Amino acid sequence: MTDIVDASTRSRMMSGIRAKNTKPEILIRSLLHRNGFRFRLHVNNLPGKPDIVLTRYHAVIFVHGCFWHGHECPLFKWPGTRPDFWREKIGRNRTNDHKAREALLVAGWRVGIVWECALRGAGKNIDSVAQRLSEWLRNNAQLLEVVG
Ligand SMILES: [Zn+2]
């Protein structure tokens, strides 16, 4: 079985340090920027510290790594070691994600979640992700989830 992550990502995962400014996130930012959207980053005073905040559209966007956020998709695989540690950690991340999303919706924010698997791997259509985000930002839907 081949690893889905490179060596440095793997060592960061194993050390339990969560990445900021991950590649999928940078990709989403540049897609938004190219489509004329302006935004703020890592807003600490909102639930869940959303990666991207578009005040004008009353929208926040999370770019979720499938490993860290326990996505049920082909990119997710339980590490072979320290099963209890990872189950606890990823379980907690999922619980926090859920709470943050509910709190944001209750506060009137619109919440977009782009999963890493929508962006990574063969045959992924990045432009269609950009288009879905653009359309969502301009309509009034409360929730958008983009998966691979
Ligand atoms: Zn995924």
Side-chain angles (χ1 to χ4, degrees):
M1 194 179 286
T2 53
D3 256 355
I4 56 154
V5 295
D6 60 36
S8 72
T9 305
R10 170 69 60 186
S11 89
R12 202 178 61 229
M13 278 160 47
M14 297 317 280
S15 67
I17 299 164
R18 194 199 291 241
K20 226 174 216 181
N21 300 319
T22 55
K23 256 193 227 161
E25 192 182 323
I26 291 166
L27 184 59
I28 291 298
R29 275 192 232 157
S30 67
L31 289 174
L32 288 170
H33 200 263
R34 211 185 305 151
N35 284 282
F37 294 104
R38 296 296 174 263
F39 45 82
R40 294 186 296 147
L41 302 174
H42 305 296
V43 177
N44 291 329
N45 61 356
L46 286 176
K49 298 179 188 159
D51 299 313
I52 297 167
V53 177
L54 298 103
T55 311
R56 195 181 149 197
Y57 296 88
H58 226 67
V60 303
I61 295 172
F62 293 95
V63 184
H64 277 350
C66 296
F67 176 76
W68 284 112
H69 297 269
H71 198 210
E72 286 171 26
C73 76
L75 287 191
F76 181 84
K77 188 172 71 135
W78 288 106
T81 58
R82 303 173 75 195
D84 294 344
F85 170 81
W86 288 112
R87 231 165 274 280
E88 207 275 322
K89 183 161 196 69
I90 288 166
R92 187 158 13 99
N93 288 347
R94 288 184 59 148
T95 304
N96 291 341
D97 289 343
H98 186 75
K99 279 189 195 154
R101 186 174 73 189
E102 294 307 303
L104 287 160
L105 291 172
V106 164
W109 287 92
R110 304 162 60 217
V111 179
I113 298 165
V114 181
W115 289 92
E116 180 187 8
C117 54
L119 305 165
R120 270 182 55 168
K124 291 293 148 57
N125 188 341
I126 304 299
D127 288 336
S128 90
V129 173
Q131 191 173 344
R132 288 187 62 188
L133 276 173
S134 299
E135 281 168 10
W136 174 70
L137 285 167
R138 295 195 167 98
N139 72 29
N140 289 313
Q142 271 223 297
L143 201 60
L144 172 77
E145 203 167 355
V146 186
V147 300

